[in-house]
Amino acid sequence: MVLSQARLRCRLILRKRCQRFRLFSTETSKIRNIGIVAHVDAGKTTVTERILYETGAIRAAGTIKHGNTTTDFLPCEQNRGITVNSAFVQVHFLEHIFNVIDTPGHVDFNFEVERSLRVLDGSLVVIDGTRGVEPQTVTVWKQLERFQVPRLIFLNKLDRERRNVKVCLSSIRETLRTVPVLVNHPVYDESKQLVDVTTISSTHELTELVESLAEVDEEIEDLYFSHECDATKISSGEISKSIRKQHQIGRVTPVCVGSGLTGVGIRSSLEYMIQFLPSPLQTLSKLPPILRDKVCGVVFKSSLDPNRGVLCQSRLYSGTLKPRSKLFNIRTNTSAQVSNLFQVDADRVKLQDSCEVGGITMMAGCKDFRTGDVFVCQSLKSQFHNINELIQSNRTLKSTMNHSKPLFFCSVEATDSISNDRLEKVLSDMMFEDPTLTLERRDSGELVMGGPGRLYLSVALERIKDERGISCKAYKFRVNYMETVSQQIEHVHTGPLGELHLTMSPADSGKVVTVKNVCPKTREVVEPAIDSALTIGPLLGLQLSECLITAKFNLIPPEHSKFPTKEEKKDLNLMVKTAIRDIFRNNLSVMTLCEPIAEIEVEGPQEYSSSIIADFSLRAESLEYQTLFSDEGNWFTLKGCAPLSKLTDFSSQIGRISRGMASVLKIETVKYGPMELDSCREIVKMFEEGKL
C-alpha cells in the first residue's frame, strides 16, 4: 500500500514537471509526415529551421554557422556543422499538422536516414541550386523509391551567384530519371538578389510546364494540340489536376524553388506539400483490411534512457494508442504494455495522452521492441500466423531496411583505467541504438569498434565523451580487409559419409557458394556449415570474399530413409569444416588479401585543379576529368576509383590544397579488389605485430 502511494506521488510529480501534450483535434487528412533529405551541405537543416520559423514554432531562426539550429542539438553536430542524428519536430500551418524529420546527409549515416524513411508519407528532397543532383541525392532517391515514398523537390540556395535552375532540372531528369515539373520560379530585383517566388504565369514558362506534362499525360497532350500549342489556354485547374495525377503514379516530380537561408519560398513549399504529398489516410488504405481498425504501428528508432529504460519512436498506421495499451510484437511473438507515451520535439519530450492514426510518438515500457519491429494490438495475438503472413506480403509494413557491413575499424580505450570498465557497457548501449556499430573484444583484451566510415567512428567517440563523460582515444584505424584466393585451388576430402570435392577460384564481386549432388535436407545442413567455415580465413582469421566456392558431394547411399539423422548432421558439419581447413592449409601460398575500393568525386575551382589532380593520381586506380557547368567554365569535377585505405586523409588534404574551396562530393565503397603481393605481406606483418 505504501509502495503504491509512493508510485502515485512520483507519477503526479512527473506530470507537474512535464507539460502534458495533446494533439489538437485535426482530421487525419490534414496530417503530413514529411522527411527532409539531401546530400550533405545541400541545406536541409537550414530549410528545416526556416520551416519552424515561418510557421511560428520558434521565435528566431538559428544557423549552422552559429551552431544553434533546433534539430542539430547534439554537441558533435553543433561543432562539426553536420547532421548525424535524425530529429523530429512538429509544426502547424494552414490548419495542417506537419510531422517533420530532419535526416543526416553524409553517407556514413545512411542507416539513420533509412529507418526514418520507412515511416514517412512524403518527403522534401533538397537540392543545392548551385550544384544540381549530387551523389548522396541519388542514394536517398533510391531509398525513397524502395519505400515508395512520394517526393517533392526543393531547389535551395537560389540566392547565390552560381545558381542555375536549368542545369539543376536537367540533372534531375538525367540522373534521377524523373520528369521535373517546375511549379514556381524565383523573382530577383535589379541587383539580382532573390526577393520572392511566384507561380508559373509567363507564356514561356507555361509552355515549358505543359510540354513537360504532355510527355507523360495524354490528356494534356491532346489539350495542348487542340489549342494549337498555346499553353495559356489550358486552365490552371487542369494543370494542377494533371500534376497530382502523374505525381501519384510516379511519372513526374513537382519542383519548387527558394532559399532556406533567407526563407524565400519556404511557405510556398509547405503549400505544395499540402497539395501534392499524401496524408496518412492513403497509407492506411494500403494496410490489410483486418488491421485498418486495430492498433498497428512500426518502431523506427529505439534508444536507451537511464531513467525511462527502452524508448521506441514509432509510427502509428491505424487505431488509437494510449498509455497502458497492450501491444503484441510480431517479430518476437511477445506482448508488452505501454507505460507512457511522449511527444518528441527535437531534444525535448512531453507526456502525451494518446496517439491517433498517422501520429508519430515515443513509447516507454516496451523493453523487447527494437528498430524495425511491427506491433499490433494484443487482441490479434491469437491470429499471429495469419497476421505475420499479411505483414510479410505488405510493402508498407514489411521491413526492407538495409545497413552495410562495417568498412572501418579502430581499437578504442578510455584515457583512465576507471572509465575503461564503463566503456564496453556504453558501446554496447550504442550498438543497441544503432545496429551499424559493431564491437569485438579480442583475445589480447583489445576493444575493436567497427562502422560504415571513419567519420562515423570519430562521431561515435565524440558522443561517448559528450553524452557519457568518458574520454577515449582511438588507434589502429584500418579498413575492413578480407581474404581471398589468387588462383583456382581444389581439394578432395574423404569421410565416413563419402567424398567432398571442393573448388575455390577468384571472383569479381562477393562470395558465391554452389552445392551439388545433395538433397534439400542435406543442403540445409551443409550450406550454413560452409558459410560458417568461410568466416575465418587462414591468413589473419578474416572473412573470405571475392571467390567462387563449389562443393560437390559424392555421398554413400544411406541405408535408411531418415537421412540425415542427428549424428549424420554432425558428420556432415565435420566433413565440411575439415575440408575447408585442409584446402586452406595446403594452399597458403595462393591466399591473399582484398580491400574495399571506393568511387570518388571531387569538385572545385579550376585554379586548384592541377594540384588536386596530382594528389588524386597518387591514390586513384582510374581518373576522369571534366568541366562542371561548362557555361561558366571555371569549375571542374574529378571522378575515379581508389583503395579505401588510401583515402583516410583525402578530404582534409583536398581542403588544404584548395584552401577550403574544393569539396569531396563522394567516397562510396563499390567493390573489393585483390591487393598486390607486397602490400598484402606488409598488412599481414602489421597484424602479426599488433599494429592493426
Side-chain angles (χ1 to χ4, degrees):
M1 187 69 175
V2 174
L3 183 61
S4 299
Q5 290 176 350
R7 287 177 177 172
L8 180 60
R9 283 197 298 272
C10 288
R11 184 178 291 275
L12 290 172
I13 291 170
L14 182 62
R15 287 182 180 178
K16 289 177 181 178
R17 288 181 178 178
C18 300
Q19 176 187 354
R20 276 201 168 269
F21 182 88
R22 182 187 293 274
L23 188 69
F24 69 81
S25 181
T26 304
E27 297 175 10
T28 306
S29 62
K30 293 188 176 181
I31 296 175
R32 296 292 183 272
N33 291 315
I34 306 297
I36 312 290
V37 298
H39 184 89
V40 63
D41 290 333
K44 85 195 129 35
T45 299
T46 304
V47 169
T48 306
E49 190 74 4
R50 273 290 167 174
I51 288 174
L52 289 167
Y53 177 70
E54 294 293 334
T55 56
I58 56 176
R59 293 184 178 181
T63 62
I64 300 294
K65 181 180 178 181
H66 293 102
N68 60 347
T69 57
T70 305
T71 52
D72 282 356
F73 52 83
L74 296 177
C76 61
E77 293 177 317
Q78 295 167 352
N79 295 334
R80 294 174 178 268
I82 61 170
T83 302
V84 302
N85 183 58
S86 293
F88 174 85
V89 289
Q90 187 180 89
V91 299
H92 304 148
F93 181 72
L94 297 182
E95 298 183 351
H96 284 69
I97 289 180
F98 284 80
N99 294 320
V100 180
I101 299 180
D102 179 28
T103 63
H106 197 281
V107 65
D108 280 15
F109 306 99
N110 251 349
F111 181 72
E112 185 70 16
V113 179
E114 182 141 329
R115 61 180 173 184
S116 300
L117 298 187
R118 183 188 174 190
V119 298
L120 299 175
D121 298 316
S123 62
L124 184 68
V125 182
V126 179
I127 293 178
D128 188 335
T130 66
R131 296 176 184 267
V133 174
E134 298 173 272
Q136 187 64 8
T137 317
V138 179
T139 301
V140 295
W141 190 270
K142 289 178 179 178
Q143 289 173 319
L144 290 165
E145 283 185 331
R146 182 152 50 85
F147 289 113
Q148 296 184 322
V149 179
R151 284 134 276 169
L152 181 70
I153 292 175
F154 181 76
L155 287 187
N156 191 29
K157 301 187 180 181
L158 294 190
D159 54 330
R160 297 194 177 182
E161 289 184 5
R162 292 184 60 246
R163 59 187 178 257
N164 196 323
V165 175
K166 287 187 177 180
V167 169
C168 289
L169 292 176
S170 177
S171 68
I172 291 168
R173 181 183 290 269
E174 294 172 7
T175 311
L176 302 183
R177 297 184 179 180
T178 185
V179 177
V181 177
L182 195 65
V183 293
N184 61 4
H185 70 96
V187 177
Y188 298 94
D189 61 14
E190 295 177 357
S191 59
K192 296 185 179 180
Q193 297 295 312
L194 180 68
V195 292
D196 199 2
V197 295
T198 184
T199 54
I200 302 298
S201 56
S202 71
T203 303
H204 174 69
E205 292 163 351
L206 273 173
T207 300
E208 287 186 342
L209 172 59
V210 170
E211 287 180 351
S212 295
L213 287 173
E215 291 180 37
V216 294
D217 192 332
E218 291 183 1
E219 292 181 10
I220 289 292
E221 184 183 25
D222 293 341
L223 274 174
Y224 186 48
F225 285 121
S226 67
H227 292 304
E228 299 177 350
C229 298
D230 186 354
T232 59
K233 293 183 179 179
I234 302 177
S235 69
S236 59
E238 289 170 319
I239 292 174
S240 296
K241 179 182 175 182
S242 174
I243 294 174
R244 279 195 300 272
K245 179 182 176 182
Q246 299 306 318
H247 180 236
Q248 286 174 0
I249 57 179
R251 291 180 177 176
V252 304
T253 304
V255 180
C256 49
V257 301
S259 166
L261 188 62
T262 63
V264 174
I266 295 298
R267 295 180 70 85
S268 176
S269 67
L270 288 169
E271 292 174 5
Y272 287 122
M273 286 187 223
I274 293 172
Q275 185 176 357
F276 295 122
L277 296 182
S279 74
L281 287 179
Q282 282 90 325
T283 308
L284 178 64
S285 65
K286 298 175 184 177
L287 296 186
I290 192 174
L291 297 177
R292 291 177 192 172
D293 60 346
K294 304 285 186 180
V295 169
C296 178
V298 168
V299 176
F300 66 91
K301 191 173 183 179
S302 54
S303 58
L304 284 172
D305 185 274
N307 299 317
R308 301 186 181 101
V310 176
L311 297 176
C312 302
Q313 290 195 48
S314 309
R315 157 71 191 271
L316 192 64
Y317 287 105
S318 59
T320 300
L321 191 62
K322 296 180 179 180
R324 298 193 178 183
S325 293
K326 290 185 178 180
L327 303 177
F328 179 69
N329 188 326
I330 299 297
R331 178 184 63 86
T332 61
N333 193 10
T334 57
S335 301
Q337 181 172 300
V338 179
S339 59
N340 265 316
L341 294 178
F342 298 94
Q343 171 68 31
V344 180
D345 182 20
D347 59 338
R348 299 177 298 276
V349 296
K350 304 172 184 178
L351 281 170
Q352 190 175 6
D353 288 332
S354 64
C355 181
E356 306 291 336
V357 177
I360 293 177
T361 188
M362 184 161 68
M363 305 185 300
C366 304
K367 63 180 182 179
D368 294 326
F369 285 28
R370 300 291 183 270
T371 300
D373 284 354
V374 178
F375 59 85
V376 295
C377 61
Q378 174 73 10
S379 62
L380 293 174
K381 180 179 179 179
S382 59
Q383 303 180 52
F384 166 69
H385 294 292
N386 180 36
I387 297 296
N388 191 31
E389 288 179 6
L390 290 173
I391 288 172
Q392 294 306 315
S393 62
N394 186 272
R395 295 197 63 171
T396 301
L397 297 174
K398 183 182 178 181
S399 178
T400 55
M401 291 190 295
N402 299 323
H403 61 89
S404 57
K405 294 180 180 179
L407 293 174
F408 273 91
F409 293 89
C410 71
S411 298
V412 58
E413 66 179 24
T415 53
D416 60 273
S417 57
I418 298 174
S419 299
N420 222 22
D421 297 332
R422 292 176 51 213
L423 180 59
E424 188 168 0
K425 173 65 169 63
V426 169
L427 286 169
S428 298
D429 290 348
M430 293 178 70
M431 284 176 60
F432 173 87
E433 298 178 1
D434 187 351
T436 54
L437 179 70
T438 64
L439 192 63
E440 176 192 357
R441 176 70 75 174
R442 289 186 175 174
D443 295 338
S444 61
E446 245 180 308
L447 200 58
V448 179
M449 183 170 66
R454 186 156 184 170
L455 174 64
Y456 176 94
L457 295 179
S458 299
V459 167
L461 294 172
E462 197 173 325
R463 291 188 67 179
I464 292 171
K465 181 180 179 181
D466 293 336
E467 298 171 25
R468 305 299 178 98
I470 302 176
S471 295
C472 303
K473 61 179 181 180
Y475 54 100
K476 296 184 183 178
F477 273 96
R478 65 172 177 87
V479 299
N480 185 26
Y481 296 105
M482 292 192 181
E483 300 185 27
T484 189
V485 292
S486 57
Q487 64 185 53
Q488 181 169 313
I489 55 177
E490 296 182 3
H491 177 72
V492 179
H493 174 79
T494 304
L497 297 180
E499 288 185 345
L500 168 56
H501 294 255
L502 203 60
T503 305
M504 292 187 182
S505 57
D508 292 332
S509 61
K511 176 183 67 180
V512 180
V513 177
T514 304
V515 178
K516 296 182 177 179
N517 289 1
V518 294
C519 65
K521 287 185 178 181
T522 305
R523 185 183 298 275
E524 290 176 3
V525 177
V526 298
E527 284 186 343
I530 293 172
D531 285 335
S532 174
L534 295 176
T535 57
I536 303 175
L539 293 179
L540 299 172
L542 303 176
Q543 186 173 339
L544 257 76
S545 183
E546 314 306 300
C547 59
L548 300 174
I549 301 98
T550 302
K552 185 178 180 180
F553 288 83
N554 290 323
L555 299 176
I556 300 170
E559 297 178 355
H560 55 85
S561 60
K562 295 182 179 180
F563 182 85
T565 62
K566 187 176 181 179
E567 288 300 318
E568 287 166 338
K569 287 180 180 179
K570 289 181 179 179
D571 289 340
L572 284 170
N573 267 288
L574 183 62
M575 174 188 282
V576 167
K577 291 177 180 178
T578 305
I580 291 176
R581 183 196 63 196
D582 290 346
I583 197 173
F584 285 159
R585 185 175 57 191
N586 298 337
N587 297 278
L588 272 177
S589 59
V590 300
M591 299 302 298
T592 186
L593 296 179
C594 53
E595 62 181 341
I597 306 297
E599 284 186 353
I600 318 157
E601 188 172 342
V602 180
E603 179 188 275
Q606 196 79 36
E607 59 190 284
Y608 300 107
S609 61
S610 57
S611 300
I612 291 175
I613 289 172
D615 181 86
F616 203 16
S617 302
L618 295 173
R619 310 170 192 260
E621 295 181 342
S622 61
L623 180 66
E624 179 186 336
Y625 173 87
Q626 66 184 39
T627 301
L628 185 69
F629 293 160
S630 57
D631 55 333
E632 296 182 9
N634 59 343
W635 281 67
F636 73 93
T637 181
L638 286 174
K639 296 180 180 180
C641 288
L644 193 62
S645 58
K646 295 183 179 180
L647 302 175
T648 53
D649 65 337
F650 183 59
S651 297
S652 56
Q653 182 67 10
I654 294 300
R656 284 192 292 270
I657 291 172
S658 65
R659 298 179 183 178
M661 296 297 291
S663 57
V664 179
L665 301 180
K666 177 183 182 181
I667 298 180
E668 182 180 338
T669 303
V670 291
K671 62 178 181 178
Y672 271 77
M675 299 179 66
E676 295 179 359
L677 183 60
D678 291 341
S679 300
C680 178
R681 286 174 178 169
E682 184 181 348
I683 295 298
V684 171
K685 184 179 179 181
M686 291 176 72
F687 263 94
E688 290 173 346
E689 293 175 352
K691 294 179 180 179
L692 281 179

